[in-house]
């Protein structure tokens, strides 16, 4: 029997991961194999003169909420999972609650919303309905400073990770803005902006970073230790062991991974903007498949996966969100 994941199961998954950070300690759903099914899509309210959303971002939150950081209009949009606009906040500026080119967004286990306020070089924290709570950051390269932060990820342990590509690093904070650590040298970071981009937290609260310059997604421990890479090779490699043995000589396919999302069971998805498609990997780094849904992913920039197996893809050039789902097998 195949069904969609129930809301009760969804609550149990979120609660368990948030408390323990251990995906092996709970009974995870068995998702159907292969590409997800298209469910629906909706157009966002944008100004045609701007020409789309620009470097916008998307995140999912409690009760099916979908949040969009609208880079071109300096605001946050909140929808339900069928595309109904529930709320919006923000306007161009640098005061509390104002935004300038928001390029990243994340929702933590308690439902608080974090926005990478790129041109203000800061992170802002809001309630799920847009009430301003706090901010931190300033321009610079020191601890807790930023140079156009690009994306955010919240884990199940109360941490927030910030991709700070112009400073060639990832920074880790508590959710009240206290700096914890940074990393940029576990594997040599790209020397120019355009390396680190999209970021996600997933299996075992590890951190996954889309790295355009290396044509891969890097996996790091919660404290920044490099663990593995997820890449697409031109050579045929059938097992993770063979991939490791041939990593020095295999040729990377010329992809441009700009975002990454991790399903609750550990399956990883990387968004390749060079071919407008999504690459699928298992948790061991084995490349499984690519899919583009017949061109429906054209112009995709960011994506997010909710715990119940819904994939939301933000097509910034089209000003549109596409929703997909994997069925769950009993």
């Amino acid at each position: 029997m195949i069904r969609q994941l129930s809301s009760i199961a969804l609550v149990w998954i979120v609660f368990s991961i948030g408390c323990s950070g251990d995906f092996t300690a709970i009974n995870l759903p068995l998702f159907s194999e292969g590409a997800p099914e298209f469910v629906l899509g909706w157009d966002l309210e944008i100004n045609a003169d701007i020409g789309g959303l620009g470097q916008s971002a998307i995140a999912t939150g409690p009760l099916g909420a979908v949040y969009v950081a609208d880079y071109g209009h300096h605001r946050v949009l909140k929808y339900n999972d069928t595309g109904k606009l529930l709320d919006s906040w923000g306007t161009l500026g640098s005061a509390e609650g104002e935004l300038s080119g928001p390029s990243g967004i994340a929702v933590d286990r308690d439902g608080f919303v974090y926005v990478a306020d790129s041109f203000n070089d800061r992170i802002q924290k809001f309630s799920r309905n847009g009430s301003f709570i706090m901010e931190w950051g300033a321009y610079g390269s020191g601890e807790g400073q930023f140079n156009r932060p690009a994306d955010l990820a919240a884990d199940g342990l109360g941490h927030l990770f910030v991709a700070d590509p112009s400073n060639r690093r990832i920074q880790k904070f508590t959710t009240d803005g206290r700096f914890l650590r940074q990393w940029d040298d576990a594997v040599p970071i790209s020397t120019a902006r355009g390396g680190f981009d999209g970021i996600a937290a997933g299996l075992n609260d590890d951190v996954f970073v889309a790295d355009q310059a290396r044509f891969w997604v890097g996996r790091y421990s919660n404290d920044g230790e490099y663990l593995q890479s997820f890449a697409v090779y031109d050579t045929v490699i059938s097992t993770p062991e063979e991939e490791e043995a041939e990593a020095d000589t295999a040729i990377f396919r010329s992809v441009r991974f700009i975002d990454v999302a991790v399903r609750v069971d550990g399956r990883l998805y990387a968004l390749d903007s060079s071919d407008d498609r999504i690459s699928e990997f298992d948790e061991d780094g084995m490349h499984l498949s690519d899919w583009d849904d017949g061109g429906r992913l054209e112009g995709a920039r960011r994506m997010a996966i909710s715990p119940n197996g819904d994939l939301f893809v933000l097509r910034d050039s089209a000003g549109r969100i596409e929703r997909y789902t994997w069925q769950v097998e009993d």
Side-chain angles (χ1 to χ4, degrees):
M1 179 179 179
I2 296 179
R3 57 180 173 81
Q4 289 189 339
L5 190 61
S6 70
S7 59
I8 295 176
L10 168 59
V11 170
W12 173 241
I13 289 172
V14 172
F15 175 79
S16 301
I17 293 172
C19 290
S20 70
D22 184 359
F23 282 71
T24 63
I26 60 176
N27 185 21
L28 292 172
L30 179 62
F31 292 100
S32 58
E33 291 294 329
E37 299 176 2
F38 176 75
V39 178
L40 57 87
W42 68 88
D43 295 321
L44 308 182
E45 297 181 3
I46 63 174
N47 184 342
D49 294 336
I50 295 179
L53 297 172
Q55 300 176 46
S56 297
I58 189 169
T60 58
L63 305 177
V66 179
Y67 295 87
V68 174
D70 184 347
Y71 178 92
H73 298 82
H74 316 290
R75 62 181 178 176
V76 173
L77 302 170
K78 179 182 178 181
Y79 295 89
N80 67 13
D81 60 6
T82 61
K84 179 181 178 181
L85 182 64
L86 303 176
D87 206 347
S88 66
W89 66 87
T91 187
L92 177 62
S94 58
E96 294 180 353
E98 295 179 340
L99 300 165
S100 181
S103 61
I105 191 165
V107 182
D108 71 13
R109 60 188 181 182
D110 297 316
F112 291 106
V113 180
Y114 303 83
V115 179
D117 190 5
S118 184
F119 286 99
N120 286 322
D121 296 302
R122 64 183 178 182
I123 307 302
Q124 294 201 64
K125 180 178 181 178
F126 300 90
S127 73
R128 67 184 64 184
N129 294 319
S131 296
F132 173 82
I133 296 175
M134 65 175 297
E135 65 176 75
W136 70 89
Y139 174 77
S141 57
E143 295 178 354
Q145 296 179 328
F146 307 103
N147 185 355
R148 297 188 184 179
D151 200 15
L152 305 174
D155 67 10
L157 303 175
H159 304 131
L160 186 75
F161 299 87
V162 182
D164 188 13
S166 290
N167 284 323
R168 305 190 299 276
R169 64 183 177 180
I170 302 296
Q171 295 196 67
K172 177 182 178 180
F173 299 88
T174 63
T175 53
D176 60 359
R178 181 167 59 90
F179 174 84
L180 295 175
R181 66 185 302 125
Q182 65 181 26
W183 67 87
D184 63 1
D185 60 354
V187 172
I189 300 304
S190 310
T191 58
R193 185 176 176 90
F196 280 0
D197 199 344
I199 185 171
L203 192 65
N204 299 321
D205 288 297
D206 289 341
V207 181
F208 300 80
V209 185
D211 189 332
Q212 298 180 42
R214 294 193 190 86
F215 313 111
W216 72 25
V217 171
R219 180 178 183 176
Y220 301 82
S221 74
N222 201 266
D223 286 327
E225 177 187 0
Y226 171 75
L227 300 175
Q228 71 180 120
S229 63
F230 297 76
V232 179
Y233 296 97
D234 281 343
T235 55
V236 177
I237 299 175
S238 59
T239 68
E241 291 75 20
E242 291 176 4
E243 178 175 321
E244 181 176 359
E246 297 190 26
D248 291 336
T249 57
I251 301 173
F252 293 121
R253 182 197 294 169
S254 183
V255 299
R256 185 170 181 255
F257 288 147
I258 60 171
D259 200 20
V260 58
V262 185
R263 207 168 61 186
V264 69
D265 60 347
R267 194 63 60 89
L268 181 140
Y269 299 87
L271 180 57
D272 175 11
S273 66
S274 64
D275 289 308
D276 294 318
R277 63 184 172 188
I278 293 174
S279 295
E280 178 185 21
F281 300 85
D282 67 19
E283 62 183 87
D284 294 318
M286 177 60 58
H287 175 227
L288 302 177
S289 65
D290 302 301
W291 54 278
D292 63 6
D293 195 22
R296 200 192 301 269
L297 300 180
E298 182 179 357
R301 171 168 172 79
R302 289 285 185 251
M303 59 184 178
I305 299 178
S306 63
N308 67 327
D310 282 341
L311 168 68
F312 296 87
V313 179
L314 177 63
R315 299 171 58 200
D316 60 355
S317 61
R320 184 173 171 84
I321 291 175
E322 312 292 357
R323 176 185 168 190
Y324 299 84
T325 193
W326 288 271
Q327 298 299 315
V328 178
E329 302 176 2
D330 286 331

